[in-house]
Amino acid sequence: LFLLAAALGLSSAPMAHATEVWSGRTFGFSKAPFANPSLPANQDRITASCWITRGNTMGIYNIAQETGYIHNVSPKGTEWATGDAVNHASLTFTDWETWTNTDPPSTIGVNACMHIDDGDIYLDIKFTSWGTLTGGGGAFSYMRALPPVVQTDATTWGRIKALYR
């Protein structure tokens, strides 16, 4: 009876979420000057809990978890480091504002890694433009990695293997 209870207890334990690394294939996102950040077209909906956008001024934020930019917090649920996602274990992560050294335009062209806490996802990202306070209207753009493609085999064995990747 004890063994049966122990086995049932183990089978009901929650599974740990595996770390994901997104590197390689890229997606370009941009927000036009003065575009409404509350509209889905002006949000990069990376995951169910991470939607990056920007108001007409200040920094980027996660509109899925916050209503506007908050100094040294936004984008909420993320951490940032200089480097590549494949090397995430050796990178030093911080909040976005600290990572930019309070100068977002200086990050244009810098290889960066964004860590999304919810889902434990590390992805490559590189800013390609940043609208400044004088007439920039919150414009910005970047290239970021897409989730890896998981090849599935149509055979039964292939489908079973795909469940454990």
Side-chain angles (χ1 to χ4, degrees):
L1 189 59
F2 172 76
L3 291 176
L4 178 60
L8 290 173
L10 288 176
S11 66
S12 65
M15 293 182 62
H17 197 286
T19 298
E20 290 186 35
V21 176
W22 298 6
S23 185
R25 300 177 315 122
T26 58
F27 168 78
F29 174 79
S30 64
K31 179 188 167 281
F34 303 102
N36 184 343
S38 66
L39 297 176
N42 302 316
Q43 305 164 2
D44 182 12
R45 294 186 173 197
I46 303 169
T47 67
S49 64
C50 186
W51 304 351
I52 302 298
T53 193
R54 183 179 177 209
N56 292 338
T57 61
M58 302 174 66
I60 61 174
Y61 63 98
N62 180 358
I63 197 165
Q65 296 186 32
E66 53 194 337
T67 58
Y69 182 76
I70 303 168
H71 287 289
N72 295 313
V73 173
S74 295
K76 189 174 181 182
T78 68
E79 300 175 299
W80 298 72
T82 299
D84 298 319
V86 294
N87 299 321
H88 66 87
S90 64
L91 300 178
T92 302
F93 288 86
T94 187
D95 64 273
W96 179 80
E97 187 171 348
T98 300
W99 174 75
T100 69
N101 198 26
T102 64
D103 184 19
S106 72
T107 65
I108 294 171
V110 175
N111 289 341
C113 178
M114 176 172 65
H115 177 229
I116 301 172
D117 297 333
D118 184 25
D120 198 20
I121 298 168
Y122 294 87
L123 62 100
D124 289 328
I125 186 167
K126 184 185 294 189
F127 286 88
T128 54
S129 71
W130 187 267
T132 60
L133 294 178
T134 56
F140 75 104
S141 62
Y142 56 69
M143 297 295 293
R144 68 160 172 87
L146 292 169
V149 175
V150 177
Q151 299 294 328
T152 57
D153 190 342
T155 66
T156 301
W157 179 240
R159 286 185 290 233
I160 291 170
K161 288 193 302 187
L163 292 173
Y164 295 97
R165 288 186 185 157

